[in-house]
Amino acid sequence: MSIADAKLNKKQVVEVYSQIAFFYDVWGNLTEAKARSRALQLANIQDGESVLEVAVGTGLAFREIVRMNPNGQNVGIDLTQTMLDRARKKLGQTGAHYQLAIGDAYDLRFENARFDVLMNSYMFDLLPEVDFVQVLKGFKRVLKPGGRLVLVNMTKGEHFYQNFYELLYRINPSWMAGCRGVQLANTLPKAGFKNVSREMTSQLGYPSEILTATL
Ligand SMILES: C[S@@+](CC[C@H](N)C(=O)[O-])C[C@H]1O[C@@H](n2cnc3c(N)ncnc32)[C@H](O)[C@@H]1O
């Protein structure tokens, strides 16, 4: 099944997510909470590990990562300052140790083999398909040997009603904040990942894939 073209460039991503940051959590809880929770379970973060979340957004997963890993290193980056501000507000209440900073998935400013776990949710939905391998190779570079990757993406539905959101995107991409269904299981090995596994969830008919892989 073909993947629709991405419609937003980086500048537009920042504009759109700056505008919707204030109600992102409503959407995130209504349609993505189930997949996020399963991804955190599969990440199996052990306290003391070094964890990077790329495209941390408003911190819905990052807050849980920090809870699971109070004595480890927790780093979150995102392209959009307004989303990060929301994450900071959420995390401020935990009193835990973490770093949140502006950062680009295409240009990870971390040394090689720094992290045990890399998590990334609902970002590839926004990127051009032609860039997937390049971005995944960057993820691979910052993971330690044996490191774990956990990805969550909006994906293609298996039932007709799950393709409602894809239809909205095809009519007007801005109605989906630039997100369309993608499938990355076959792409991960091309970037050097092994032991790829894929699960699908659906919440309010919104289809998500949860992928795990190792180095
Ligand atoms: C749909 S939101 C998902 C947020 C969060 N991961 C979650 O699941 O709640 C997409 C996020 O990806 C971020 N983003 C998009 N392209 C990015 C890039 N190249 N590098 C870092 N963040 C990016 C956006 O700024 C936005 O916060």
Side-chain angles (χ1 to χ4, degrees):
M1 223 185 297
S2 71
I3 294 176
D5 289 340
K7 299 289 186 195
L8 304 182
N9 60 35
K10 279 188 205 172
K11 188 167 170 279
Q12 291 167 322
V13 164
V14 172
E15 281 166 9
V16 168
Y17 283 87
S18 297
Q19 282 164 13
I20 66 171
F22 78 98
F23 73 87
Y24 187 84
D25 286 4
V26 175
W27 170 262
N29 285 321
L30 281 176
T31 61
E32 300 170 351
K34 200 166 140 188
R36 191 174 289 110
S37 155
R38 178 64 179 146
L40 285 162
Q41 193 182 16
L42 290 170
N44 192 25
I45 294 166
Q46 305 297 308
D47 191 14
E49 287 192 311
S50 179
V51 183
L52 173 65
E53 187 180 5
V54 177
V56 72
T58 61
L60 288 166
F62 195 66
R63 176 177 51 192
E64 304 310 317
I65 290 170
V66 171
R67 279 194 187 134
M68 291 159 93
N69 193 29
N71 297 300
Q73 289 182 45
N74 302 295
V75 182
I77 62 164
D78 199 284
L79 214 49
T80 308
Q81 183 64 56
T82 319
M83 295 291 271
L84 277 175
D85 291 344
R86 295 250 146 202
R88 231 174 240 118
K89 206 167 161 192
K90 235 181 232 110
L91 270 292
Q93 294 151 5
T94 64
H97 179 69
Y98 60 88
Q99 293 168 46
L100 284 170
I102 288 281
D104 185 351
Y106 285 80
D107 180 23
L108 297 179
R109 305 276 173 98
F110 304 104
E111 67 268 32
N112 295 351
R114 155 101 191 258
F115 297 100
D116 298 296
V117 181
L118 192 154
M119 287 198 67
N120 173 252
S121 304
Y122 302 106
M123 182 196 77
F124 281 93
D125 326 345
L126 291 162
L127 307 188
E129 190 180 1
V130 68
D131 294 349
F132 287 179
V133 171
Q134 175 197 344
V135 173
L136 288 169
K137 281 184 175 168
F139 287 5
K140 180 181 172 224
R141 182 185 66 75
V142 299
L143 275 169
K144 294 177 184 175
R148 286 117 62 206
L149 175 71
V150 182
L151 292 184
V152 185
N153 305 308
M154 175 184 170
T155 195
K156 304 276 181 190
E158 288 176 341
H159 305 285
F160 76 94
Y161 61 86
Q162 293 174 332
N163 286 314
F164 169 69
Y165 299 93
E166 183 81 7
L167 182 65
L168 290 183
Y169 178 85
R170 286 179 192 259
I171 297 170
N172 185 343
S174 67
W175 291 345
M176 288 302 297
C179 293
R180 85 292 195 207
V182 297
Q183 287 173 328
L184 266 79
N186 294 334
T187 312
L188 284 162
K190 292 179 193 157
F193 285 96
K194 296 183 288 200
N195 304 314
V196 177
S197 80
R198 180 180 192 264
E199 294 183 12
M200 240 194 103
T201 63
S202 166
Q203 190 176 346
L204 281 185
Y206 183 77
S208 297
E209 65 173 9
I210 306 148
L211 299 166
T212 60
T214 57
L215 278 191

